[in-house]
Amino acid sequence: MALGRPLRPMILHEGDRQQLSSIAKSRLLPHSLVLRAQIVLLASEGLTNKQIAARLDVCRPSVGVWRKRYLDHGIEGLHDEFKSGRARSVSDEQVALVVRKTLYTKPKDGTHWSVRTMATATKMSRATVHRIWQAFGLQPHRQEHFTLSTDPFFIEKVRDIVGLYLSPPENAVVLCVDEKSQIQALDRLQPMLPLGLGYAEGCTHDYERHGTTTLFAALDVANQVKSRLNAKNIIVMKNILSS
């Protein structure tokens, strides 16, 4: 003799079987949603809660909950309900203020905002500022470099330089010599790209110096290389930014 309350017949809503099957086989959706779709599909085949629980290794009350949720609300009922939680302590206007200050202003004594300086300026906690920056993808402390070459032979030069590194001449050493700036007086060849939502401030890699004193990186061929290699077999290559 069957015990307990009789189960409501599980009749899938029109067009839901294909969507439930897709959810049940998904590897990208949350596991909880996949499991709920599997419960509904098994229930539609006439299996009892006990049989479904044993097959999917879940507890019987959970099977009953999601069976009822589907019968009452359809597929939408299988998703987690919105939980209000604690009321927000930061308004939309305050969030917008942080975003605008980060994008369009700079602190008086710095080149970019930090969490600490922004928290002081807006009278918010550092944790709040950090969460807002994360939500909008703001990274004022980072700077990404880019370069646009106007050299018509740029591709040919790249091939020559890269080829020299990948396949140097026999019995030769390839050395790259670069400048070691003592004074930074730089003028970027392209305008700066401002900080934006989801990307950092950008500036060109190449630049023009104005009155800059430079020194070549320490390279004493006579003392460091002479004892091991013949000087005439050394190839010294300079990085040419523009010809």
Side-chain angles (χ1 to χ4, degrees):
M1 181 178 177
L3 301 177
R5 197 181 312 173
L7 296 174
R8 293 164 57 186
M10 175 62 73
I11 301 176
L12 297 184
H13 299 174
E14 185 178 357
D16 280 1
R17 181 175 295 277
Q18 183 176 359
Q19 188 173 351
L20 287 168
S21 299
S22 178
I23 294 174
K25 297 176 182 178
S26 175
R27 295 180 178 272
L28 301 177
L29 293 174
H31 175 69
S32 58
L33 181 59
V34 173
L35 185 61
R36 295 163 193 173
Q38 293 172 348
I39 289 174
V40 173
L41 288 173
L42 292 176
S44 69
E45 297 175 5
L47 275 67
T48 65
N49 289 358
K50 182 178 180 180
Q51 292 171 327
I52 297 173
R55 180 174 296 190
L56 298 179
D57 194 23
V58 296
C59 61
R60 289 175 58 185
S62 294
V63 176
V65 167
W66 296 112
R67 178 196 287 264
K68 184 176 184 302
R69 286 276 291 273
Y70 177 80
L71 289 172
D72 293 341
H73 306 289
I75 291 180
E76 292 182 359
L78 301 182
H79 294 270
D80 291 321
E81 294 180 337
F82 175 74
K83 299 178 182 179
S84 59
R86 189 178 63 178
R88 289 177 57 188
S89 59
V90 180
S91 66
D92 291 341
E93 290 75 15
Q94 290 175 298
V95 173
L97 173 64
V98 172
V99 173
R100 285 197 300 268
K101 287 183 72 67
T102 305
L103 292 176
Y104 304 120
T105 67
K106 291 184 178 181
K108 294 181 179 179
D109 301 325
T111 59
H112 62 270
W113 291 102
S114 67
V115 171
R116 185 186 299 274
T117 55
M118 180 60 71
T120 302
T122 57
K123 298 182 180 179
M124 298 182 189
S125 67
R126 282 176 283 176
T128 299
V129 173
H130 180 67
R131 286 196 298 269
I132 294 173
W133 281 0
Q134 278 193 320
F136 288 90
L138 295 173
Q139 298 177 315
H141 62 287
R142 293 189 58 193
Q143 187 180 76
E144 296 180 350
H145 292 263
F146 68 94
T147 183
L148 300 174
S149 177
T150 58
D151 188 347
F153 301 103
F154 177 73
I155 296 178
E156 289 78 3
K157 291 180 179 180
V158 169
R159 288 175 178 170
D160 291 342
I161 294 174
V162 174
L164 190 58
Y165 276 94
L166 295 179
S167 182
E170 188 177 358
N171 297 325
V173 174
V174 178
L175 302 177
C176 177
V177 180
D178 198 1
E179 295 172 332
K180 196 171 186 179
S181 303
Q182 300 300 310
I183 301 175
Q184 293 291 328
L186 310 180
D187 185 13
R188 300 290 173 179
L189 300 185
Q190 298 290 335
M192 299 278 287
L193 295 180
L195 171 70
L197 300 179
Y199 57 87
E201 181 184 78
C203 65
T204 57
H205 179 73
D206 46 350
Y207 49 82
E208 180 180 357
R209 285 197 179 96
H210 301 284
T212 305
T213 303
T214 61
L215 294 176
F216 282 98
L219 179 62
D220 191 341
V221 176
N223 294 334
Q224 297 181 16
V225 184
K226 185 176 180 180
S227 60
R228 290 174 290 177
L229 298 173
N230 190 330
K232 68 180 181 180
N233 290 330
I234 298 176
I235 298 176
V236 178
M237 181 186 66
K238 296 183 179 179
N239 284 335
I240 303 176
L241 298 178
S242 61
S243 61

